[in-house]
Amino acid sequence: MLNSVDKPKRSVVSSEALEALKNSHAVRWYVLVLPVCHKGPARGLQQELDRRIRANESLFEFFAPSYQEVKRTDGKFVNTHQPLLFNYVFIHASENEIFSLKRQLPLLSFLPRIRENKREYYPYLSDIAMKNLQWVARSYSNTLPVYVPEPECLRKGDRIRITEGRFKGAEASVVVQPGSGRKDVMVCVENWMWVPLLRVLPGQYEVIALNTEDRHVYTRLDNDRILDGLHKALQRYHSAEGVNEADRSLATKALKEYGSLQMDTDVMRCRLYAILLPAYTILGMKEEFERLVGTVQGMLPLIKAEQSRALALVALYGCTDSSIYYNWAHEAIDPWKKEEKPKKSKQQLINRLTDYDQWLNH
């Protein structure tokens, strides 16, 4: 016969068992790991998912992010894909479903259980945390850390460092840019007893400074109607509404008016690119957009003017929804919010950044 002391103990055991059963059927983003010697989880998981689709079996969702890395091989730059999180993978399924999956992929393992009071569970991410992680991963998936501009993008007076050939490591100034039938860049090597001129081919140089001698101001870049119109069009672009014909017409006009301009200073280039980036985005011109993003990426380390750099970062963030530019833009602009009366140009960027955070749910 059971005494009165045994009854609550049986009740506690039953409650714990019920909690464990509930946990085993809860669908979450569980963190799984593979042995260090393994080359990455995505291929095997994708093959198993494809098999289940063909066999009409229960499916699962997984997340194994990678990033692009540019490496130099045999004198050429090539893109390679590397795991963003080494040998970690996230699977959206229940514990029971994952144990079933492990029969096909036995190398997959849960991380050690977490003990919290009387509750035990395998480590997992909340849906909100996973959404943020996927956002960060997307930011790195198309980022190229090396940008080599085409010769026609260079301007007379730009300074470069030669990376290949007899003058490797030497710094030079562009003295003749492509055009009028010329395909190569003519440069003057600096700090030599003589003044050698030579042609430099694409891939044989990197830009280290831009020409800032010409102080001519292009006042047409202060067109508030176009700037405000493109900004409002981006709001619709990031919403379910989508851009309309008026937005596309305005973006086309902006490209027609500003697309062929060539600026001689980093300040003016930032102002120009803050117009062209949203215009390309609104019109869905992906190739031109990605080329311009690469140009701005190459400029960023060279930009000295605080507001010009902030302008470029805000434009990149608003057009790419990249966590990288989100962080950089906030690092540049958040200190301005503490100023008692930020000047008009700063306040405009503060407002624009706030809009992007709201539209992009950050």
Side-chain angles (χ1 to χ4, degrees), residues 10 15 23 30 67 75 96 122-123 137 163 170 196 204 231-232 278 282 321 347 354-355:
R10 289 181 61 191
S15 175
N23 262 336
Y30 284 101
Y67 67 93
N96 287 347
Y122 290 112
T163 58
Q204 293 184 335
H231 185 64
K232 292 175 182 176
I282 292 162
D321 187 19
Q347 189 60 53
T354 301
D355 286 342

Side-chain angles (χ1 to χ4, degrees), residues 5-135:
V5 178
D6 291 328
K7 289 183 180 179
K9 186 180 294 184
R10 289 181 61 191
S11 176
V12 170
V13 171
S14 177
S15 175
E16 291 177 351
L18 187 62
E19 179 68 22
L21 182 64
K22 182 180 177 181
N23 262 336
S24 67
H25 287 87
V27 177
R28 298 171 174 140
W29 279 105
Y30 284 101
V31 188
L32 282 83
V33 66
L34 281 157
V36 176
C37 61
H38 203 267
K39 296 298 182 182
R43 183 178 300 177
L45 284 168
Q46 187 61 54
Q47 289 174 347
E48 173 61 15
L49 185 58
D50 292 341
R51 186 196 68 79
R52 292 191 178 198
I53 292 173
R54 291 193 300 269
N56 199 26
E57 297 179 6
S58 61
L59 305 181
F60 60 91
E61 185 180 359
F62 73 93
F63 179 57
S66 64
Y67 67 93
Q68 289 189 49
E69 183 179 25
V70 179
K71 292 185 177 180
R72 196 176 186 88
T73 305
D74 297 329
K76 297 181 179 179
F77 289 107
V78 295
N79 290 342
T80 61
H81 287 271
Q82 306 293 336
L84 184 63
L85 302 169
F86 184 72
N87 281 18
Y88 283 87
V89 63
F90 303 89
I91 296 183
H92 195 229
S94 67
E95 291 181 9
N96 287 347
E97 291 170 329
I98 293 175
F99 278 119
S100 174
L101 179 64
K102 280 170 56 65
R103 288 197 288 269
Q104 302 296 326
L105 298 168
L107 292 179
L108 278 174
S109 300
F110 281 105
L111 291 175
R113 279 182 175 273
I114 294 175
R115 298 178 183 273
E116 196 174 75
N117 297 328
K118 295 183 178 180
R119 181 171 173 243
E120 288 189 10
Y121 57 91
Y122 290 112
Y124 64 89
L125 267 67
S126 67
D127 290 344
I128 293 176
M130 175 52 66
K131 183 179 179 180
N132 186 67
L133 178 60
Q134 290 174 327
W135 174 51

Side-chain angles (χ1 to χ4, degrees), residues 172-187:
S173 297
V174 177
V175 294
V176 179
Q177 64 195 74
S180 303
R182 294 187 297 270
K183 296 183 179 179
D184 301 332
V185 179
M186 187 74 77
V187 298

Side-chain angles (χ1 to χ4, degrees), residues 222-273:
D222 289 325
N223 191 323
D224 288 339
R225 189 183 69 83
I226 286 184
L227 289 169
D228 292 343
L230 292 174
H231 185 64
K232 292 175 182 176
L234 274 181
Q235 179 181 15
R236 287 183 284 274
Y237 175 84
H238 290 303
S239 71
E241 178 184 355
V243 296
N244 54 40
E245 190 56 39
D247 296 332
R248 286 186 284 269
S249 177
L250 180 64
T252 301
K253 180 180 179 180
L255 292 183
K256 185 177 180 180
E257 188 167 346
Y258 303 115
S260 299
L261 289 180
Q262 294 187 3
M263 298 301 166
D264 296 321
T265 69
D266 52 357
V267 172
M268 299 310 298
R269 287 173 179 174
C270 287
R271 292 170 67 182
L272 173 63
Y273 298 157

Side-chain angles (χ1 to χ4, degrees), residues 183-218:
K183 296 183 179 179
D184 301 332
V185 179
M186 187 74 77
V187 298
C188 173
V189 179
E190 301 173 359
N191 300 322
W192 288 70
M193 293 181 65
W194 64 93
V195 185
L197 294 177
L198 66 151
R199 288 184 171 85
V200 182
L201 301 176
Q204 293 184 335
Y205 60 84
E206 59 184 357
V207 177
I208 58 175
L210 301 174
N211 180 13
T212 58
E213 292 180 2
D214 187 354
R215 298 297 177 183
H216 178 65
V217 177
Y218 292 84

